[in-house]
Amino acid sequence: MGISYTIDSPIKVARFGISSVVSIIEDSLIERMREYYYRQQNEQFKPITSKEPDYRAKRVTDYLNLMNKIVHEQFEKLKASAFEKGSELIQYFEMLPDNSKLKQLYLLMTETEDHKLKNELQKKLLSEMKPGRIDVNIMTKVDNNRLDSNGNVIEDGSDAITALRGYANSDLENSSIIFSAGMNPRLYNYLERLEQFVAQSHNPLSKKIIIKVSDYRSALIQGKYLAKKGIWVTEFRIESGLNCGGHAFASDGYLMGPILEEFKIKRDEIISELFGIYCKALADKGKTVPTDIPELRITAQGGIGTHEENELLLDYYNMDSTGWGTSFLLVPEATTVDKNTLKQLCEAKEDDVILSKNSPLGVRFNYLKNTSSEVEKLLRIENGHPGSPCPEKLLESNTEFTEEPICTASVKYQKLKLEQLKALDISEIEFKKQVTAVLNKECLCVGLCNAATTLYNEKPLLPKALGVTICPGPNIAYFNKISTLKEMIDHIYGRRNLLAPGYRPHFFIKELQLYVDYLMGEIEELSENIDKKVSKYYQTFCKNLLEGIEYYKQKADTLNISKLEIERELKNAEMRVIEMLEKFAPKLEAVLA
């Protein structure tokens, strides 16, 4: 969702029993949100300055505690209100899925005319209510070291570790931390030192671990790594490689349907294997070994857009729950988006969301074109001052010109890189291509925070860079109007349709289209001089795509994919992959020769 877009979502939706995820890696934005919400609460705000020891972790801890306090106050106030039409208490129950036991109990209460029974049912309803969870996210790749005043690396002071420590020290309960973007051994090793994540016989875990994964193999590897340390993963969250918002991690051509099928088939196997490793680790540490397997949920997200798709994941693939993100960007009651960007999202078409190379991390990035941040970037280039200041330093990773890492979107890097390119003896076409690649890089640390500071009129992270970057998934093209929270919930549960008029492909088909487009772009950029490893990768990629297409053909009726999409979209995708293989063949033959 981007850093700022769910930065305060729990305060907006948790009282209704809706869980949301807060990114905790950007402490400067968190400090501004602390100030904003202390002011809203009419409480004194005490800055946590960068001069304080462990200031990043302290900012995270205090903000999470503040949110938790606000949410609990909201929830108790909601429970204390009357069962009156239009109240938030009524809204809580009306937004529940129709098949939930609590919703059935609510409907029974509304229909009964027996005053005594109605009061008893109302008490029962109130006792069963729960607020939504306040979960947090760390993108594991964002884990630069921080230096002290003498230039020495601060022990346990890296970006991800301090954010993790800040979460661990918070008073959140029934909460989870979500690790995304792959395994970070240093971060995972640090978990072992935090008692909040280590099971105690007398105290169930209040803080749990969720790992975003792209496939079964990734889940098994990361789950085993942590189980060997006596750390239990409570959820694997499967996310589409490309049909998602933000950074996109294309798998080796594995499509969502076959991936979900493998989890469905091997669910008991992975749980059993991880539990065996987990028990051995606990025994080796002299800790109590559980007799029952702890909860391990399998969930999915990425590109879901209809009630039928949601039910497919729950009913056929046996997912424990699903995640919706992009469509909520059009729900101001749930997310934090400035008015100008909100208007752009409403008007976005399929071509307006691109799989860009704008991220300084070197990872592809789903990105809305023509944002105010892109306009700022292009204006700097036009004025002969490319690059961005780098105040946050979260994405510094390049050491091409310097001993200490710098960000490829920074003024410093782009100046050095452009000077290097000018000195190279390369063709004009190649020169322009490489210059474009350099100038495309965009400051995400600031751009992804500016929506919140703009909307709430708070001090910006960088006064000279006020532009907003936003990273919706491709699914945004099929929603075209601002919605209320209840309207979006009703859409998810099939009680309303918020999709824009026109054709919207099945979310499995859309992901397939994205993968074929991605593969075509990658192969077009291949040079004539490729090695066997690269050649084998693209062969495997094509093979996996073709197997995925065949899977969808065989499962079409079960997956509720229309005959039109089978005959037109799957056939078209298959032909494109085969054509790419044929086009790739001469390069392949040259390698094998």
Side-chain angles (χ1 to χ4, degrees):
M1 291 287 284
I3 297 171
S4 67
Y5 302 107
T6 58
I7 190 68
D8 57 345
S9 287
I11 294 174
K12 298 181 178 185
V13 304
R15 65 186 180 277
F16 296 111
I18 301 171
S19 300
S20 56
V21 182
V22 178
S23 172
I24 57 171
I25 202 69
E26 177 44 90
D27 65 289
S28 295
L29 176 62
I30 285 174
E31 184 69 357
R32 282 154 178 76
M33 297 305 295
R34 285 183 60 246
E35 181 173 6
Y36 175 78
Y37 275 106
Y38 271 112
R39 193 164 62 242
Q40 294 297 307
Q41 292 290 103
N42 292 317
E43 295 182 26
Q44 183 181 3
F45 167 69
K46 296 179 181 179
I48 300 174
T49 72
S50 58
K51 295 180 180 179
E52 291 189 35
D54 208 22
Y55 71 93
R56 283 174 50 80
K58 290 177 181 176
R59 287 174 173 178
V60 171
T61 299
D62 189 75
Y63 182 57
L64 295 179
N65 290 347
L66 175 62
M67 274 202 299
N68 195 34
K69 173 176 174 287
I70 293 172
V71 167
H72 277 84
E73 288 175 352
Q74 291 174 334
F75 185 65
E76 291 305 316
K77 182 179 179 180
L78 185 148
K79 286 180 66 176
S81 61
F83 281 87
E84 296 177 347
K85 185 177 180 180
S87 69
E88 288 193 343
L89 183 61
I90 292 294
Q91 187 178 352
Y92 179 102
F93 293 106
E94 289 187 343
M95 287 195 295
L96 292 169
D98 294 338
N99 60 358
S100 75
K101 292 181 180 180
L102 199 58
K103 181 64 169 284
Q104 295 302 314
L105 188 66
Y106 166 75
L107 292 175
L108 178 63
M109 183 276 294
T110 60
E111 293 166 0
T112 186
E113 296 181 0
D114 185 310
H115 184 70
K116 182 178 179 181
L117 177 58
K118 186 180 284 285
N119 284 337
E120 289 177 355
L121 290 173
Q122 288 180 353
K123 289 179 181 178
K124 176 67 174 173
L125 286 168
L126 292 173
S127 70
E128 295 289 328
M129 291 174 66
K130 295 179 181 178
R133 296 190 317 275
I134 302 175
D135 292 338
V136 303
N137 171 260
I138 292 176
M139 185 176 177
T140 58
K141 290 184 180 295
V142 183
D143 192 24
N144 285 332
N145 288 322
R146 294 287 169 160
L147 307 179
D148 62 21
S149 57
N150 297 317
N152 300 314
V153 173
I154 300 172
E155 185 177 1
D156 298 329
S158 70
D159 293 332
I161 285 178
T162 50
L164 172 59
R165 184 164 58 248
Y167 168 70
N169 291 335
S170 73
D171 57 19
L172 292 180
E173 296 182 352
N174 187 31
S175 172
S176 299
I177 186 162
I178 301 163
F179 295 123
S180 59
M183 191 166 76
N184 177 337
R186 175 170 68 175
L187 184 64
Y188 285 9
N189 292 343
Y190 189 72
L191 278 170
E192 196 174 5
R193 295 163 52 185
L194 299 172
E195 62 180 15
Q196 296 91 334
F197 298 98
V198 180
Q200 306 289 339
S201 58
H202 61 283
N203 184 25
L205 288 174
S206 63
K207 291 184 172 65
K208 303 174 184 179
I209 295 169
I210 298 173
I211 299 180
K212 275 192 189 181
V213 295
S214 58
D215 55 34
Y216 182 85
R217 180 174 176 271
S218 173
L220 184 59
I221 289 172
Q222 295 187 72
K224 287 170 68 174
Y225 189 93
L226 289 172
K228 289 177 181 177
K229 298 180 176 299
I231 304 292
W232 184 254
V233 176
T234 58
E235 178 181 329
F236 290 117
R237 186 165 295 181
I238 308 160
E239 183 173 58
S240 169
L242 295 182
N243 198 12
C244 60
H247 286 92
F249 298 86
S251 64
D252 295 349
Y254 292 109
L255 299 174
M256 193 74 165
I259 290 170
L260 292 168
E261 188 78 33
E262 185 173 15
F263 272 96
K264 178 182 177 180
I265 294 169
K266 297 182 178 179
R267 183 187 185 111
D268 291 342
E269 181 181 323
I270 190 172
I271 293 174
S272 177
E273 183 171 358
L274 294 181
F275 184 60
I277 297 170
Y278 176 65
C279 289
K280 183 180 184 303
L282 292 179
D284 291 345
K285 290 173 177 285
K287 295 184 178 295
T288 303
V289 177
T291 55
D292 297 325
I293 299 177
E295 178 186 47
L296 200 167
R297 291 161 49 85
I298 309 293
T299 65
Q301 64 184 45
I304 312 167
T306 69
H307 171 67
E308 291 73 24
E309 291 171 354
N310 197 67
E311 292 301 296
L312 171 67
L313 293 170
L314 298 175
D315 296 340
Y316 177 73
Y317 290 109
N318 299 329
M319 293 292 106
D320 292 298
S321 66
T322 60
W324 290 59
T326 288
S327 56
F328 277 98
L329 289 172
L330 296 180
V331 182
E333 292 174 63
T335 55
T336 300
V337 185
D338 63 288
K339 293 181 180 178
N340 179 61
T341 306
L342 193 58
K343 181 175 182 293
Q344 288 182 292
L345 289 171
C346 289
E347 297 171 352
K349 306 302 180 187
E350 287 182 328
D351 293 342
D352 292 321
V353 179
I354 60 171
L355 189 61
S356 74
K357 295 183 179 180
N358 292 18
S359 172
L361 285 178
V363 178
R364 300 295 285 272
F365 187 70
N366 271 320
Y367 173 86
L368 181 67
K369 296 191 298 184
N370 302 317
T371 60
S372 53
S373 183
E374 184 178 25
V375 170
E376 276 188 1
K377 178 180 71 175
L378 295 176
L379 185 61
R380 288 195 298 269
I381 294 169
E382 184 181 329
N383 292 334
H385 302 291
S388 306
C390 192
E392 301 306 298
K393 306 184 182 302
L394 292 172
L395 303 183
E396 292 184 325
S397 61
N398 186 281
T399 55
E400 188 177 356
F401 303 106
T402 57
E403 289 188 12
E404 290 185 11
I406 57 176
C407 179
T408 55
S410 68
V411 172
K412 185 174 184 178
Y413 174 83
Q414 293 198 2
K415 180 180 179 181
L416 292 169
K417 187 64 178 178
L418 292 174
E419 288 174 353
Q420 181 196 62
L421 291 176
K422 290 175 183 177
L424 295 178
D425 184 18
I426 55 178
S427 68
E428 184 68 18
I429 293 176
E430 182 62 23
F431 175 76
K432 289 182 178 180
K433 178 182 175 182
Q434 293 197 37
V435 166
T436 299
V438 173
L439 299 180
N440 277 342
K441 300 303 181 187
E442 189 165 313
C443 176
L444 302 184
C445 299
V446 174
L448 290 174
C449 290
N450 281 342
T453 56
T454 299
L455 183 66
Y456 296 135
N457 197 30
E458 289 297 305
K459 180 183 176 183
L461 271 64
L462 190 63
K464 294 183 179 180
L466 303 178
V468 172
T469 301
I470 196 163
C471 50
N475 214 23
I476 194 66
Y478 310 113
F479 295 87
N480 66 351
K481 61 181 181 181
I482 296 171
S483 304
T484 66
L485 179 63
K486 186 176 186 307
E487 286 172 342
M488 187 56 69
I489 297 298
D490 284 347
H491 173 81
I492 292 172
Y493 293 138
R495 301 186 290 246
R496 177 189 297 268
N497 180 20
L498 295 180
L499 289 177
Y503 171 64
R504 174 190 175 274
H506 188 283
F507 77 130
F508 283 164
I509 300 297
K510 179 63 179 181
E511 185 199 47
L512 170 61
Q513 293 170 347
L514 293 167
Y515 265 96
V516 175
D517 290 341
Y518 169 83
L519 177 62
M520 180 174 286
E522 291 291 297
I523 287 182
E524 287 292 335
E525 291 185 5
L526 285 177
S527 67
E528 296 298 326
N529 301 315
I530 58 172
D531 58 28
K532 291 184 179 180
K533 184 178 180 181
V534 173
S535 175
K536 184 178 180 180
Y537 169 77
Y538 286 107
Q539 287 182 80
T540 301
F541 200 110
C542 290
K543 174 177 174 290
N544 291 335
L545 279 182
L546 292 172
E547 289 179 353
I549 291 169
E550 187 60 31
Y551 169 85
Y552 289 143
K553 286 181 181 179
Q554 297 298 324
K555 295 278 188 178
D557 291 339
T558 302
L559 304 181
N560 199 27
I561 301 177
S562 71
K563 185 177 180 181
L564 170 68
E565 292 188 299
I566 292 295
E567 293 180 349
R568 184 179 69 189
E569 303 296 353
L570 288 182
K571 184 177 180 180
N572 179 56
E574 187 174 39
M575 289 176 59
R576 290 177 69 194
V577 175
I578 292 172
E579 287 173 2
M580 279 187 281
L581 272 173
E582 293 173 348
K583 187 174 182 179
F584 187 54
K587 295 180 180 181
L588 172 61
E589 291 169 2
V591 171
L592 297 179

